[in-house]
Amino acid sequence: MQFNSRYSLLPSKLYHHQQPLPLKGAKAGHFNTALAEQLQWSEADKQSWVDICSGQKTFAEFPPLAMVYAGHQFGQWAGQLGDGRGLLIAQILDQKQQTIDLHLKGAGSTPYSRMGDGRAVLRSVIREYLAGHALNALGVPSSNAVGFTSSTQGVQREKLELGAMMLRTSDCHIRLGHFEWINQYQSDLLADFTQKCLEWHYPECLLAEQPILAFATQVVQRTAVMIAKWQLVGFAHGVMNTDNLNITGSTLDFGPYGFMERFRPNWINNHSDYQGRYTYQQQPSIGHWNLWTWLNNLIPLCPQDYDKEQWKQDLATCLEHYEPTFLEHYKLGLSQKMGLPHFHTDSFDCAMAFLRILQTEQLDYTQSFIRLQNKQYEIIKDDCLDRRQFESFLAQYEQIRANQDTAELDAAMQQANPVYILRNHMAQKAIERAERNDFSEVDRLFNLLSQPFTQQPDLENAEDLAPLANDAPEVMVSCSS
Ligand code: AMP
Ligand code: MG
C-alpha cells in the first residue's frame, strides 16, 4: 500500500486515536480481490487480508482514529455523533493516484459510541458489503468494501448475533455532519477544515472567484446526481441522515436500505422509519433538505469584503442547482432505460405512463424494464389487470420510436437496465447461510452483482429475477445493525 496519511494531520479535536479491538475467533468472510488490486495492495497485504479486515493488523504509517461529527437524524438535530464503532485505519493511493480511505467498521467502542457497543453484526456487515459492491457495479457513486470477516463472538441485538468487521473504502469519510459538528462545537476550525476539503476533494474550486461557493455548488450537484441514479435503479437508502452523506456526493453506512421490487414509490423499506420520511419517492426532496441544512454551516465563512446578506443569498443560489441537476440526470437516465430519444418532447410523458402502469399493476420495477428492453410486451400485458392502459402506452411508445435509430436506443437500454439487483430476500439467504459458516451464497451474489447488466445463466437462480410472492412474509429490515 502507498500511504497518504492526511486526515491525522488535522487538529486533534476532530478525532480520537485508538487501536481496533479484535473480535474472538476472527475468520474470513469475503475478499474483493479486484478492488484490492485497484488499491495497490501488495501480495503480502493480500495474504494478510483477514488480519487487516479483523483489526489484528494495523499500519505504522497511519495511527487509527475515530472521527467526530454530528448530524440530523430523521430530521432532528442529534448533536454529537462520530465514529462509534468504526476507525479510519489508513489512507492509501489507488492505481489512479486517488486517495482512498480504509475504514474498519465494527472495531470496538470509541469516545463517540454513546450507548452503543462499538460492534457490527454479520447480518448488517453482509448487507453493507453487498450494497456498496452492487451500487458500484451499477455505476452509482457509493462507498465500497475490500473485505469482511466474521467471528465467533456473540453481539446482542434483538437476538444474539455474530460480531463481524468490514473494511470500507471510500474516496472520503467527511460527512455533511462534520460541518455541523465543527460549526456547533468548534467553529474556530471551520475555515481551515473547509480549506482542506477543497484542497483534497475539490482542488478545481480553489481557482474559482469564490472557492467556497464553487465547492458548495459542486457538493449540491454531485449529491443530486447520486440521488437521480438511486431513483433510476430503484434504490432506497433508508437512512438519509446528514451523517450518512459525504461531501463528495456519495454515501456511507448502508443499513436498512432496499432495492425496490414492485414499483411502490411510497414503500417504506426501513421498519424503523415510522413516518416514512425516507421512502423512495421522498429521496430527492430529502437530499435537498440535507443540503440546505448543510449549507447553513457555511454562513460563517463569509469573506471579509463580502456583504453578509449577499453571502447568504449566494449560498441559497448554490442550492438552486439541485433540482435542475437532478432532473437533467433523472430524465436522461429514464429515457435511456425506456429506449426513447431524450430530445423528443413526448418521451418523458411516455416514461411516466409506463411508471404509472408499474405502480397500479404493482409490477416489478427491474424486470419490467428488462421485459420492455427484450420487447416482451405481451408478457407485461398479461401481468396487467388493465390491459387497455398498457395498449395505449405501447401505441404511444412505438409511435415515438418509429423513425428513430432504434439500434442505438436499444444499445442504450442495455447499459441502463440491470438484470440483477440485490433483492432483500437474496441478501437474507446469503446472511442465513453465512451465519452457519457458509459464505458460498455471499460469493455467488458478489459475482452475480459484479455484472448486473449481463445475463449470467450459470450463476443466477430463478428467485434472483422476481420479487417475493405477494403472500410471502416480507424480509424485515430496521436500523438495528
Ligand atoms: P448509523 O445508523 O450506522 O449511521 O449510526 C449512527 C451513529 O450511531 C454513528 O455515530 C454510529 O457510529 C453510531 N452507532 C451505531 N451503532 C453503533 C454501535 N453498535 N456502537 C456504537 N456506536 C454505534
Ligand atoms: Mg451513520
Side-chain angles (χ1 to χ4, degrees):
M1 294 183 207
Q2 286 182 36
F3 288 81
N4 181 20
S5 310
R6 57 195 188 185
Y7 203 87
S8 55
L9 302 176
L10 292 176
S12 60
K13 285 184 175 136
L14 293 169
Y15 50 81
H16 175 78
H17 280 301
Q18 68 179 69
Q19 288 293 325
L21 185 64
L23 291 160
K24 274 186 252 153
K27 55 183 156 191
H30 198 267
F31 185 54
N32 186 338
T33 321
L35 184 55
E37 202 67 42
Q38 282 172 34
L39 296 172
Q40 310 196 85
W41 280 31
S42 65
E43 278 314 310
D45 294 329
K46 285 186 220 159
Q47 290 289 324
S48 49
W49 79 264
V50 174
D51 288 349
I52 298 172
C53 297
S54 61
Q56 298 179 84
K57 178 174 166 25
T58 52
F59 308 99
E61 293 87 341
F62 193 99
L65 59 88
M67 296 177 170
V68 67
Y69 50 82
H72 278 78
Q73 298 183 317
F74 293 92
Q76 306 293 324
W77 171 241
Q80 176 170 305
L81 300 168
D83 291 333
R85 53 170 166 173
L87 298 172
L88 185 66
I89 64 158
Q91 294 189 291
I92 58 173
L93 295 178
D94 70 6
Q95 283 169 339
K96 295 182 188 151
Q97 299 301 299
Q98 191 189 10
T99 301
I100 301 292
D101 293 351
L102 302 184
H103 171 104
L104 187 65
K105 188 161 179 174
S109 59
T110 76
Y112 316 121
S113 296
R114 297 174 297 151
M115 307 297 279
D117 58 9
R119 295 305 189 188
V121 295
L122 184 58
R123 164 179 55 85
S124 69
V125 159
I126 291 178
R127 283 182 55 86
E128 183 163 358
Y129 185 76
L130 291 175
H133 177 59
L135 288 169
N136 274 280
L138 287 165
V140 181
S142 165
S143 56
N144 204 344
V146 69
F148 77 84
T149 53
S150 181
S151 77
T152 54
Q153 190 167 323
V155 170
Q156 190 65 46
R157 293 293 178 260
E158 278 81 5
K159 56 179 188 174
L160 194 65
E161 301 191 42
L162 286 175
M165 288 191 204
M166 182 187 91
L167 191 56
R168 180 164 66 199
T169 58
S170 176
D171 63 350
C172 174
H173 273 79
I174 299 174
R175 303 153 193 260
L176 302 185
H178 273 76
F179 284 80
E180 298 182 273
W181 186 87
I182 294 173
N183 198 21
Q184 183 75 23
Y185 302 114
Q186 207 68 55
S187 55
D188 55 317
L189 300 182
L190 186 62
D192 286 351
F193 183 77
T194 308
Q195 177 69 17
K196 284 291 169 214
C197 290
L198 269 83
E199 285 171 17
W200 292 343
H201 300 293
Y202 293 93
E204 69 284 5
C205 294
L206 293 168
L207 306 172
E209 198 178 324
Q210 290 300 335
I212 291 167
L213 296 178
F215 160 62
T217 303
Q218 284 284 314
V219 175
V220 164
Q221 289 184 321
R222 285 211 208 169
T223 306
V225 171
M226 171 183 71
I227 297 176
K229 292 189 173 201
W230 286 357
Q231 301 307 102
L232 290 165
V233 296
F235 180 75
H237 180 283
V239 210
M240 286 178 71
N241 296 333
T242 55
D243 55 307
N244 289 338
L245 298 187
N246 77 14
I247 59 153
T248 57
S250 170
T251 170
L252 302 161
D253 297 336
F254 296 113
Y257 66 86
F259 283 87
M260 187 171 47
E261 300 186 61
R262 296 178 201 284
F263 188 59
R264 295 179 192 144
N266 58 2
W267 156 69
I268 303 176
N269 187 58
N270 176 1
H271 285 269
S272 310
D273 182 8
Y274 306 110
Q275 294 176 338
R277 180 179 174 84
Y278 296 142
T279 58
Y280 168 82
Q281 69 183 358
Q282 291 267 82
Q283 296 189 124
S285 55
I286 293 292
H288 187 273
W289 188 91
N290 283 348
L291 290 164
W292 171 78
T293 304
W294 175 71
L295 283 167
N296 276 305
N297 296 288
L298 305 185
I299 293 174
L301 297 175
C302 178
Q304 271 182 351
D305 52 349
Y306 219 88
D307 177 71
K308 282 207 167 64
E309 281 313 306
Q310 185 61 44
W311 180 249
K312 284 190 200 167
Q313 281 261 308
D314 290 349
L315 284 171
T317 306
C318 298
L319 193 54
E320 285 174 15
H321 291 277
Y322 182 81
E323 192 177 325
T325 307
F326 171 81
L327 283 176
E328 181 197 330
H329 282 81
Y330 180 69
K331 286 184 168 178
L332 178 64
L334 194 59
S335 49
Q336 282 169 349
K337 282 176 79 67
M338 293 292 299
L340 290 172
H342 182 46
F343 53 82
H344 196 292
T345 45
D346 294 336
S347 286
F348 191 64
D349 267 2
C350 183
M352 286 295 130
F354 187 63
L355 290 180
R356 267 195 302 280
I357 293 172
L358 303 195
Q359 186 174 1
T360 48
E361 303 287 349
Q362 293 284 287
L363 301 182
D364 187 71
Y365 181 75
T366 303
Q367 271 313 304
S368 298
F369 277 100
I370 287 291
R371 285 177 176 159
L372 191 70
Q373 176 180 310
N374 293 342
K375 320 276 178 283
Q376 294 167 315
Y377 306 137
E378 288 301 314
I379 299 183
I380 307 179
K381 191 162 82 176
D382 284 348
D383 280 344
C384 292
L385 288 173
D386 185 349
R387 296 162 67 94
R388 278 223 222 114
Q389 191 189 12
F390 183 77
E391 281 163 6
S392 91
F393 152 76
L394 191 59
Q396 187 192 17
Y397 181 69
E398 292 193 315
Q399 194 187 2
I400 301 175
R401 279 172 53 98
N403 307 321
Q404 303 290 337
D405 182 348
T406 48
E408 196 178 302
L409 293 172
D410 290 349
M413 279 180 110
Q414 292 192 7
Q415 308 289 315
N417 290 315
V419 184
Y420 309 110
I421 50 159
L422 180 62
R423 298 172 189 274
N424 274 338
H425 65 262
M426 294 159 69
Q428 189 57 29
K429 193 166 142 196
I431 290 164
E432 284 166 15
R433 292 222 185 138
E435 285 172 340
R436 297 194 299 268
N437 208 20
D438 170 4
F439 293 90
S440 60
E441 187 63 8
V442 172
D443 192 48
R444 186 186 75 83
L445 292 185
F446 182 90
N447 292 328
L448 188 77
L449 297 168
S450 295
Q451 292 187 59
F453 300 103
T454 309
Q455 185 99 37
Q456 297 162 71
D458 295 347
L459 264 184
E460 77 178 33
N461 288 341
E463 305 90 80
D464 301 334
L465 298 169
L468 281 181
N470 263 332
D471 53 359
E474 205 183 331
V475 177
M476 301 287 265
V477 295
S478 71
C479 280
S480 161
S481 61

